[in-house]
Amino acid sequence: MMLKLKAPSLLRSQIFVDGRWLDDKSAPAIEVRNPSGGEIVGAVPRAGRDATRRAIEAADAAYKGWSRTTAEHRARVLRRWYELMLEHQDDLAAIMTAEQGKPLAEAKGEIGYAASYIEWFAEEAKRTYGDVVPSPWADKQILVKREPVGVCAAITPWNFPAAMITRKVAPALAAGCTIIVKPAEQTPLSALALAALAERAGVPPGVLNVITGTAREIGAELTNNPTVRKLSFTGSTEIGRLLASQCAPTLKRLSLELGGNAPFIVFDDADVDAAVEGAIASKYRNSGQTCVCANRLLVQEGIHDAFVAKLSIAVKALKVGDGRDADVQQGPLIDDAALDKVLTLLDDAVGKGARIAAGGARHRLGGTFFEPTVVAEVTPEMRIANEEIFGPVAPIMRFRSEDEAIAIANSSEFGLASYFYSRDIARVWRVADAIQAGMVGINTGIISTAVAPFGGVKQSGMGREGSRLGIEEYMHTKYMCIGGL
Ligand SMILES: NC(=O)c1ccc[n+]([C@@H]2O[C@H](COP(=O)([O-])OP(=O)(O)OC[C@H]3O[C@@H](n4cnc5c(N)ncnc54)[C@H](O)[C@@H]3O)[C@@H](O)[C@H]2O)c1
Ligand SMILES: O=C[C@H](O)CS(=O)(=O)O
């Protein structure tokens, strides 16, 4: 499959280390395939520990210079990178759809969202203020500075191939850190295109490095090498736990954005049409392959039947197809394993008494396409009520009281995003306070923005990305006590 780009040079097939584009013939290349039809869209090196070690050395050498640049300079370079991303938004979206499958409109939206993190942290670079503290001693002064943590590593998932990278790299570079990025094997081309634009924006050699290849080997080097002072990971909770344990011997700083199981609660007093619109936006975004997707829809009995009927009509109208085709709203799942998981969860639910209200089967397009689905009469003992689906399936559970809804919502080991619809202001405050999650959408199904802190509690991870907090993940404080005055 030949990608037609306005700027063909954005399609890269080499790793980016120390400002150089390099081959790595130590193992057969990784073929990048389009999930819609399986065509090969590119190939990247299957690099391992040696290349990763060289990237760490390059990042360490570059750190000395980059950390000493002014915040003003770093802000200007990041701003240029942001501008170049927007100038090449169509090409970056085409690359993303080709390797990840999401509809072009969604891919273009992600590029704008990803760029907004760079814009935000270009500004935040200049606001890493310190403190002058009133001294308890007459002859001493107390200063507190904030400094970059040093060489960082980022390991990112396939579902948002650009945004998950920029919301790590932007604060890292803004703080004065240098970084090595390992993108997902399924979606390396977006990462390499971002690196090509960063290079053009004036990011110096070694400040940003992108390594593609064997996850376990690259991860082993990134987590064990003492030069790396921080790891930022976005992905499954299982791998997050593993990487955290691998970082323990060298006590690295950690940011972990992990799995989710978002409750989406609709109370009797909700605007049902607004709730249906919010459920569509939250649940079926990226064909349900989103960590903050509504994963369990809890609907109060008074409006349950009306909500299920309206949602089912809207879901049946969603257009499924190749993400490159105009007006397609639902692309394929990323691979056969993702499809098998959806089928397994649905079979379990129906086998325990759930009812398919819309969709429920593989799409007639075949491959990894799946019908957008609504499954009703879901109960807590079904796997679909407890596991992250990562597919276009909305499980609906009935509830009677507010307390029951909160108990169900909080029963999950995850606590990333949550949503609820209510027009009762007292209930809004009660439920928002009671829900155990890092993020709460109230009368809305879309909450992600660079200006707000993104992250979870419980088994959904630790740390925050975006907002004024995001740069803190890449800085530490230094207390200076000046005596003899
Ligand atoms: N919280 C968030 O912001 C967020 C965002 C996106 C995805 N996710 C979660 O990620 C999961 C889906 O993404 P995924 O399938 O890419 O997750 P994943 O954990 O399988 O992979 C994520 C990244 O980790 C790498 N990886 C896997 N095993 C590794 C190892 N042993 N050593 C080093 N690296 C390794 C992969 O190559 C990939 O780059 C879902 O659970 C989803 O909820 C969370
Ligand atoms: O999949 C997880 C992403 O973080 C989703 S979002 O684009 O940040 O909402």
Side-chain angles (χ1 to χ4, degrees):
M1 168 183 159
M2 278 308 290
L3 261 176
K4 296 182 181 58
L5 303 176
K6 297 170 198 158
S9 64
L10 286 178
L11 193 59
R12 297 292 174 135
S13 58
Q14 297 169 302
I15 57 176
F16 183 58
V17 175
D18 202 16
R20 292 179 294 147
W21 295 93
L22 304 172
D23 294 312
D24 185 308
K25 305 288 187 192
S26 59
I30 296 173
E31 290 180 340
V32 183
R33 293 181 178 271
N34 178 337
S36 278
E39 310 98 314
I40 295 173
V41 293
V44 297
R46 194 184 303 273
R49 289 195 79 147
D50 290 347
T52 307
R53 201 172 294 122
R54 287 198 300 275
I56 294 168
E57 289 161 0
D60 191 32
Y63 173 70
K64 295 171 181 63
W66 182 247
S67 61
R68 293 197 186 111
T69 57
T70 64
E72 183 67 32
H73 173 75
R74 297 196 296 272
R76 271 200 305 276
V77 172
L78 285 170
R79 179 76 198 182
R80 185 65 191 127
W81 190 20
Y82 160 74
E83 290 164 353
L84 286 169
M85 275 191 73
L86 295 186
E87 285 170 28
H88 296 278
Q89 192 167 7
D90 290 342
D91 277 354
L92 293 172
I95 291 170
M96 184 182 294
T97 294
E99 64 177 356
Q100 199 269 346
K102 67 178 68 176
L104 264 178
E106 279 198 39
K108 197 167 179 180
E110 184 186 336
I111 297 302
Y113 172 58
S116 73
Y117 279 96
I118 300 173
E119 180 192 35
W120 174 261
F121 286 107
E123 294 152 1
E124 288 296 287
K126 296 180 280 188
R127 290 169 183 76
T128 54
Y129 305 134
D131 294 310
V132 175
V133 182
S135 172
W137 302 288
D139 64 341
K140 297 180 185 178
Q141 288 294 336
I142 293 178
L143 296 178
V144 179
K145 278 186 67 184
R146 288 156 71 202
E147 296 182 338
V149 296
V151 173
C152 302
I155 298 177
T156 55
W158 49 262
N159 61 339
F160 287 83
M164 297 307 99
I165 288 176
T166 59
R167 80 181 187 193
K168 295 167 176 57
V169 175
L173 270 53
C177 297
T178 55
I179 194 164
I180 303 99
V181 176
K182 190 212 80 68
E185 303 85 298
Q186 302 92 327
T187 55
L189 303 178
S190 295
L192 295 170
L194 291 178
L197 292 177
E199 184 185 26
R200 287 184 211 168
V203 174
V207 173
L208 168 62
N209 306 274
V210 180
I211 299 279
T212 61
T214 312
R216 189 178 300 279
E217 277 193 45
I218 297 169
E221 187 60 34
L222 292 175
T223 54
N224 285 289
N225 192 310
T227 303
V228 175
R229 295 310 317 137
K230 176 185 172 73
L231 171 69
S232 180
F233 171 73
T234 294
S236 63
T237 294
E238 177 198 359
I239 300 303
R241 290 189 190 116
L242 171 69
L243 295 176
S245 68
Q246 290 178 196
C247 286
T250 52
L251 281 181
K252 292 177 177 33
R253 291 274 295 270
L254 284 176
S255 296
L256 299 174
E257 301 286 354
L258 306 177
N261 183 2
F264 186 104
I265 308 171
V266 186
F267 290 100
D268 281 343
D269 59 81
D271 175 335
V272 175
D273 292 326
V276 168
E277 187 181 342
I280 293 284
S282 171
K283 175 68 255 185
Y284 299 94
R285 182 167 160 239
N286 199 16
S287 300
Q289 300 171 116
T290 301
C291 60
V292 292
C293 270
N295 204 62
R296 301 169 283 158
L297 284 75
L298 315 180
V299 184
Q300 199 160 17
E301 57 185 1
I303 46 95
H304 174 275
D305 295 350
F307 179 84
V308 172
K310 290 188 173 191
L311 181 66
S312 299
I313 292 167
V315 166
K316 286 170 183 172
L318 291 172
K319 185 162 190 272
V320 179
D322 187 316
R324 293 163 293 182
D325 296 343
D327 72 24
V328 160
Q329 296 164 296
Q330 293 284 291
L333 297 184
I334 190 69
D335 55 25
D336 291 335
L339 181 68
D340 292 344
K341 179 172 182 183
V342 168
L343 288 167
T344 301
L345 292 177
L346 273 179
D347 289 348
D348 174 78
V350 171
K352 292 173 182 170
R355 170 177 65 84
I356 300 293
R362 298 181 65 164
H363 194 270
R364 64 181 180 283
L365 287 172
T368 60
F369 290 97
F370 198 81
E371 293 175 347
T373 295
V374 176
V375 51
E377 310 309 336
V378 171
T379 52
E381 66 276 4
M382 296 173 187
R383 287 181 58 187
I384 205 165
N386 299 288
E387 297 180 33
E388 187 175 43
I389 302 164
F390 240 57
V393 177
I396 297 182
M397 304 167 76
R398 295 172 183 266
F399 71 90
R400 293 183 185 79
S401 70
E402 184 180 302
D403 288 347
E404 182 189 0
I406 290 168
I408 295 171
N410 290 340
S411 65
S412 171
E413 65 175 347
F414 293 108
L416 188 60
S418 58
Y419 308 86
F420 67 90
Y421 277 72
S422 168
R423 288 179 286 191
D424 175 335
I425 192 68
R427 166 170 281 164
V428 165
W429 278 106
R430 286 197 306 272
V431 176
D433 276 348
I435 276 192
Q436 296 165 2
M439 301 176 280
V440 188
I442 301 160
N443 296 325
T444 180
I446 297 292
I447 56 177
S448 304
T449 168
V451 309
F454 188 105
V457 297
K458 300 198 279 188
Q459 298 294 320
S460 289
M462 59 183 74
R464 292 294 181 264
E465 295 190 300
S467 82
R468 64 177 181 80
L469 301 178
I471 201 167
E472 301 293 341
E473 305 284 331
Y474 296 89
M475 304 195 86
H476 56 61
T477 56
K478 177 180 282 178
Y479 154 43
M480 296 187 288
C481 183
I482 307 162
L485 302 178

